[in-house]
Each structure stands twice: as structure tokens, then as C-alpha cells.
Amino acid sequence: MKLDAATSAGDIPEGLVEPSLYVGKVTPGSLDDQVLAFPETRPPRQWYIALAITLTAALVGVVSIGYTFYIGIGAWGNTSPVFWAFDIINFVFWVGIGHAGTLISAILFLFRKRWRNAIARFAEAMTIFAVICAVIFPLIHVGRPWLAYWLFPYPNQRALWTNFRSPLLWDVFAVNTYFSVSLMFWYLGLIPDIASMRDRTTSKLRKLIYTVLAMGWRGAATHWQHYEKAYLLLAGLATGLVLSVHSVVSFDFATSVVPGWHMTIFPPYFVAGAIFAGFAMVVMVLVVVRETMQLKNLITMRHLDVMNKVILAMSCIMGYSYMMEGFTAWYSMNEFLHHGFMNIITGTYGWAGWVTISCNILIPQILWFRKARTSYFWMILVAVGVTIGMWFERFVIIVISLHQDFLPSAWRIYKPTMVDFGVLLGTFGIFFTLVLLFARVLPVIATTEVKAILPDAQPSHHGDDHHA
Amino acid sequence: MPETSYAVLGVFETPDALMKAIPKVRASKLGTVEAYTPYAIHGIEEALGLRKSPLGGMVLVMGVLGAITALGFQYWISAIDYPIITGGKGAGSWEAFIPIMFEVTVLFATFTAGLGMLFLLNKLPFFGHPVLSSKSIKGITRDRYVLALEAESEAFDSAAAARALQAAGAIEVEALPAPDRSPFLTSDNILRALGGIFAACVVAGLAMYFATKWFPLLAPMKYMQDQPRLNAQKASTFFKDGHGMQQPVAGTVARGHLPTATGTQEEAASLVNPLPRTREVFATGRKVYTNRCEVCHGAVGNGVGSLTAAYGAKPANLQAQQFRDYPDGKIYWAIVNGKNSMPSHAPYLSEPERWAVVHYVRALQRAQNAKDEDLKVATR
């Protein structure tokens, strides 16, 4: 299997179940030295430059959000009838980005896909950061975010309760559960690695921090037994959860009667889109991580190749979904639905519809070629395209469906303001700031999991029945 | 060597060596055998004779409990405590509760799996464990495989344990002394603290709920009906006459209710011009007079207007003593109701415009009958 120069140059050790999960000779000790030594050394200059850029972007977001609080939601472009615009677009977009992490860490774990081990940690971290970016939007779009706790059912002074039949309240539960579960999944996976860092470090402060975070993990067999069981259970639970979260997000739309929203295809369509966008973001970040952090032997071209295959598969599902939207509009003979669909391809915002279709369906088709799947140029092009395309897909769903629905007298054009763009830019800044900080303080690769798939990592005297 | 030992550790280089050593060390029956490894090793549970993890059952029970909790909570709130009819469905229609039931189930199950594993089963955090301060711990979390023979009683023979481990193939042996004091920050204490916090939250929530139900009018909940004010028909200690409601000051005009001229002209005599004598009011009066009055009453109000010859009637000379003695209200009445041949001007003039004309007519009368002091004012 000749994927790139690094792969073919390395000697693939015998006895490895899946070839090219890593390149060259990797032992548990050398793995620790390579991955865990990262946070212990001073970051390079490029890291500071990157951090300065992302922090600037985050600052733009903070200022924009502050301005929004000062002025009110009028600072945004939201108007009648487009009451939902950038806030919900960005919310759905960021929740979607998060889904790749859970998919890689949970679903691929259940399927015993060992290639996930090297990239799961980063993907999970990105999930946490993406969900943090996502929750900003429901929080600030309520207009008075200091009263956002009203969303929670608690025994309040006014003896009121929330309406449990509102999909927006389901969102509150779904996103909060998703964040809690992702955080726990991520932290549990980190504990043995943090214990390794605790035992490696010479700095007193680091020792203290890692000691507290590792909770006294000592790798006892009795602990590993419960730990493995817990990890398996969490993976199973997270799998159900990841499918439910974006389905619930899609209910915000699908349970209404707005033409273009009121569709049964929405839950699976949203989940596929989320995985699609998330994988694109993971590929983008992993390429940078792989190049700048000298992890080429652990994050191989094969990883990127497989990720790109998933993106391609999701792209095809998205294409099918778009076709089904058109088919439903035609076959249902619903005048309003038909008008809504024609709006996507020929209306005022028709360009957004075509950006979506080109970026999500046409460009990723290049990934049918192995050369493209293993070429930085093409995979970055596709990943950036998918990120843009998926953002515009949410724009199409929300703005195009809302700006012209049943009542022509209420139709109006929506225009975002600079504040809208500022908040969007800000969340990208926050996301990448967190990614950069994570890369400097915690192991970016789950060393414990990778150690377990190294040759000779598992005892051989039991025979072959223990090898998957 | 200290008097009491906690355990003796034997270090092995490969998982194979560890697995081969386990049955030998267990056969020595010197103490409890525990293994420490950098990652989970398959088959080690059977070799060590560990019981299966009960986590699956715990998670199942808590998951079901989560589903029941979510259903009960939502049903009680939406159908019993605070019924909201949504979309014409019955208050007890439960289908819409499923998404939240699912999320709460997952939440309960996840917390059970994660925290139950850490706190309950693994008894973490455990910062004072002897193995953590051993020399071998660096290897354990890196690439070494360690077997521990743990003391079960005072009679533990650490020298024999070390020999048994070496015989099983350990490349290094380390004896660990027993910890001299029990740590405070243990999983038990943390669990108790968490349980306490949870119980306090539940108690506080219930207390708040029932407090609002049973004592809805306790301070600091101020209702608007309790504010200090005078109610209609109530006595007052503030005013001398003891009445809460007072007569308005004479000449008071309610907002938007300028006086109107109804009844006879004599009755209207008591009306007071509500407008101040400002430059703007006189300007308005002049404009209105020029547009509507001048054709008959003339530019100076002397009854010589441009229409007179053709009109046939004789408009009033407003400069006459009779009209100079008129109260404002009678002029106003004439504007509103008309007089003799003059029709009503009410449809064409607003209230302020009518009164502004009255002021202007007064100004015309004064101008034609100026006094010495007026001259002083004008030349000052």
C-alpha cells in the first residue's frame, strides 16, 4: 500500500493487525517521548503568532457580542419575517462541527476501527470546543442572556414551569447533555495520559496540576477492568446521543409548518450534514497538526485517506438529501414547498443555494481519486469547501425558507450586519484559540490507546483469539 | 526495611512476561496479587481471577431511572402542576416528552458510567496510594508492567514476596512501606460531599417550590397592589378636609380637553383662554385671522373687509366698545357657533387655532386703542 513517501519509506513492523496505523518503529516509551514531551517544551514562535491571530478574532467576537448586549438584538440584521438568522445558522453549524469528534471516538470505537485511536483525542477536544462555540448563540440570541437560566425547569419564585412540548427546550436538554457526555468521555480518556504526564514532569507546578487532574490513577488491573467497561458503555451511550442531538436540533425546524422545514428527512439529513462538516474540520486541523507537530509517523496519510472516504460518503448522502428535497417539492404538488425549492436555486439567495451545492456535492467528488485523498492540496480544498458549503446550507435552510413563506405581503429581504459577521468570526477565534491551547497543555494523541495497538503490546501466549 | 509493608512490586519488561508470572505469583499465596500496566491488557482479568465489572448493571438501572424521572417530572409539570395546552393536545399527552426522556436517560447513564467507575468502583481520587510514590510508577505509566504482592495481614513476609517475584521473572523488585496516615481526600469523602451537595440542591429546590406555593405573599415579594397610594373614596390624613380626592384648582384644564363653547353666548362668557400669550400663539392667530376673518372684519378688525360691498351684510366692528368689553369666552363662542350671518368656523379651525384668534383680536383692539405706556414698551 503505497500512500505517500513517508509510508513507503518506513519499515512496517510485522504482526501489526492493520498496516500503516503508524510509520517506523514506535514503542510505548518512544510514543510518550514524542507526544507527551510536547506540552513540556516551549512552544515555537509560530504557535504564538497563531495564538495572536486567533485571539484577535476572538476579541472581535467579544466586542461584537458586547455591542449586541449594549444595543440589543437590533444590532443584528434579523428582521420580520427572518427572525432567525446568523444566531441559529451558527448554532447549528457549530453543533454540527462537534459531531465528528463523537463519531470518531464513539461509533468507530464500537466498530473496533483502530485507526481512530491516533486521531480520537483531537477530534474529541474539537467537539468540546465546537459545542462551547455553539452554546454561545442560543445564549446571546435570547436578547437578555443574564436571564437565560429561565430556560431551565427549576422551582422559581413565580411558580412557573417551562413548556416541555417546545423543541427549543428539547434543544436545551440535548445540547447540555451532549456537552456533559462529551466532556466526560474526553476527560475519562485523558486520565491515564495525564497520569503519564504527571510521572514524567519535573516541574513542581505541572506535577501538582497533573496530579489533581489524574485523580491518583495508577494503572491497576482492577481499575483498567472497570475503566474499559466504562469506556465501552460511554461509547455506546454517546453513539445514541450523537444521533439524537442533531435530530433534536432539526426538530426546531421540522416540527414547524414553514415550507422547506416541515420535512421528515430533516433528522437524518442534519446528522449526516453534521458528520460531514465535522470531518472536514478535523481533516483541516489534523493536517496542520501533523505538519507542525512532527506527528507524521502517528497520524499517517492512511488516516487522512480514511477520513476523506468518510467525507466522500457523507457528501453523497447530502446529495441524495438535496435531491429528495427537490423530489418532495415536485411530488407533493405543494405550491409553497415548490416555491421554496425554486427559491433555493433561482431566488434572491440563489447564489447561496449554488454555493451549497457546489461546495458540498460537486467539489468533494474529487475524493473518488486516491491521489486527491492523499494530497494536501485537494483535501484542504475539499475541507475548506465543505466548511463553507455547510455554513451556507444552514443559511439556505433558515433564511431562504423564512424570507418568503406563505404570505407574499410579509416577504422581505434579509441582510446581515457587520455585528453578525463579527460574532461569527469571533467564534472561529474562540474555537481555534482553544485548539491551540489544548495542543500545548494536553496530549494531542491518546497515547494509552495507541500503546495498546502497538505490536507486542498484548500478550501472545493466549493464542490468537485475543487479536481482533 | 520498615516494620509494616504495604506491598512488594516486581517489574516486568513485556506483557508476555507479566502474564507468565501471574499464575506463579498467585500460586505462592503470599498475598493479594495486583497488576499495574500502562494500558489495559486483555486476558489479565481471568489471570488475576477478577470478578466481572458490575458497571453494566449499574448503568442499566440508572438509565431506566433517568427515563422514569424524566417522564414523571415532565408529566407532573405539564399535566398537573402547570398545565399548558399546546396545539390543542391534552395536558397529559406524553409523546412530546420522548426527546427529553432520551437525553435524561443518557445523562443519568453517562454519569453513572463515568463517575461510578471513578468514584465507586475504582475509589478514585486516591492521591496517597503507596504505589504513586514508588520508584516503579514512572515505568507503570510508560512502558513497564508491574505485579504487586499486597500484604493481607501483619504476617506479610516481604522478603519472601520479593523472592517469589524474582523467581517469576521480575527484573526489579521494590518493597513499599505502609502509608503512615490515612488521606483525607479519598473517594469516600468526595462521594459524601457530592451526595451532600446533591441532597442540599434537592432540599433547597423543594423548599423553594413549596414556599412559593404556601407563602406566596412573603417579603421580599412586593405586589403592585401593596404600593403606598390613595385609593378612590378613601380618607386622607394629609389634606385638611380629610378627603383623599381633591377638587382640581380653579381654571384647571385637563390634558387634551380645552374648554368648548356650548350653550348660550352668555354661558360661554366665563371660559378662560387657555393659551399663553407667546409669539408663536400670536403668529398662529394672525395667520388664522388673515385666512378666515379678514375678508369680512378687515385687516385691523374694524368691520371694513374686502367682501363688504358685494356681501350685503354688515360685519361686526370689533374695535367697537361693545366688543372691546366682550370677555374672551364670548368671542370664542361666536367663532365656534357663528353669529348673525357669520357661519360656524368650528369645522375649519382646531381648538388651539380658535383660541389663538381670540388672542390676536385682543391684540388688534389694543393696537387701535394704544395707551401711553404701550408706546413706552414699543420704543424701549
Side-chain angles (χ1 to χ4, degrees), chain A residues 161 165 221-222 225 457 460-461, chain B residues 16 19 34-35 39 51 81 91:
Chain A
W161 289 106
R165 294 196 178 86
T222 43
Q225 182 202 11
S460 53
H461 71 279
Chain B
D16 270 341
M19 292 300 279
E34 172 69 292
Y39 50 85
R51 285 193 300 138
D81 195 51

Side-chain angles (χ1 to χ4, degrees), chain B residues 29-89:
Chain B
K29 296 212 186 318
L30 288 165
T32 315
V33 180
E34 172 69 292
Y36 294 93
T37 53
Y39 50 85
I41 288 181
H42 297 301
I44 203 165
E45 307 93 51
E46 292 92 12
L48 286 172
L50 300 178
R51 285 193 300 138
K52 267 188 74 179
S53 175
L55 204 58
M58 288 161 59
V59 166
L60 181 70
V61 169
M62 288 303 284
V64 171
L65 196 65
I68 294 170
T69 306
L71 176 63
F73 195 53
Q74 291 182 86
Y75 188 88
W76 176 72
I77 286 172
S78 307
I80 296 167
D81 195 51
Y82 195 79
I84 307 172
I85 304 298
T86 315
K89 295 176 185 68

Side-chain angles (χ1 to χ4, degrees), chain A residues 27-30 32-33 36 114 153-166 169-170 173-178 180-182 184-185 187-188 191-192 195-202 207 211-231 233-234 237-238 240-242 244-245 248 251 448-449 451-454 456-462 466, chain B residues 6 14-16 19-20 34-48 50-56 59 73-74 76-79 81-82 84-86 89-97 99-100 102-107 109-115 117-119 121-127 129 131-132 137-138 140-143 145 190 204-206 208-209 212-213 220-221:
Chain A
T27 64
S30 77
D32 277 4
D33 293 337
L36 301 183
R114 290 176 171 212
Y154 69 103
N156 64 37
Q157 222 185 18
R158 299 168 298 283
L160 301 169
W161 289 106
T162 44
N163 179 10
F164 285 101
R165 294 196 178 86
S166 163
L169 190 66
W170 305 348
F173 275 83
V175 175
N176 280 308
T177 304
Y178 187 43
S180 315
V181 171
S182 302
M184 177 159 292
F185 202 38
Y187 180 57
L188 280 192
I191 286 177
S196 300
M197 296 177 83
R198 172 196 65 195
D199 297 330
R200 283 175 59 91
T201 187
T202 47
K207 182 106 184 163
T211 300
V212 171
L213 287 178
M215 300 179 95
W217 181 264
R218 54 188 187 275
T222 43
H223 289 187
W224 277 119
Q225 182 202 11
H226 299 307
Y227 178 90
E228 291 267 282
K229 184 87 180 176
Y231 205 80
L233 285 167
L234 281 180
L237 291 165
L241 187 66
V242 73
S244 87
V245 170
V248 169
F251 290 161
T448 314
E449 288 177 25
K451 276 179 196 173
I453 58 164
L454 293 176
D456 311 324
Q458 298 294 345
S460 53
H461 71 279
H462 272 257
H466 279 287
Chain B
Y6 168 75
T14 63
D16 270 341
M19 292 300 279
K20 284 198 185 97
E34 172 69 292
Y36 294 93
T37 53
Y39 50 85
I41 288 181
H42 297 301
I44 203 165
E45 307 93 51
E46 292 92 12
L48 286 172
L50 300 178
R51 285 193 300 138
K52 267 188 74 179
S53 175
L55 204 58
V59 166
F73 195 53
Q74 291 182 86
W76 176 72
I77 286 172
S78 307
D81 195 51
Y82 195 79
I84 307 172
I85 304 298
T86 315
K89 295 176 185 68
S93 66
W94 53 270
E95 291 85 350
F97 302 157
I100 291 182
F102 179 78
E103 304 300 337
V104 175
T105 305
V106 170
L107 197 66
T110 308
F111 275 75
T112 310
L115 302 182
M117 182 274 285
L118 281 178
F119 294 144
L121 298 176
N122 288 354
K123 302 280 179 201
L124 294 173
F126 195 164
F127 298 115
H129 194 277
V131 169
L132 289 176
I137 186 70
K138 280 199 175 187
I140 290 172
T141 52
R142 187 180 163 92
D143 55 357
Y145 310 85
I190 286 178
L206 286 176
M208 191 161 173
Y209 175 76
T212 51
K213 290 268 160 174
M221 283 177 270

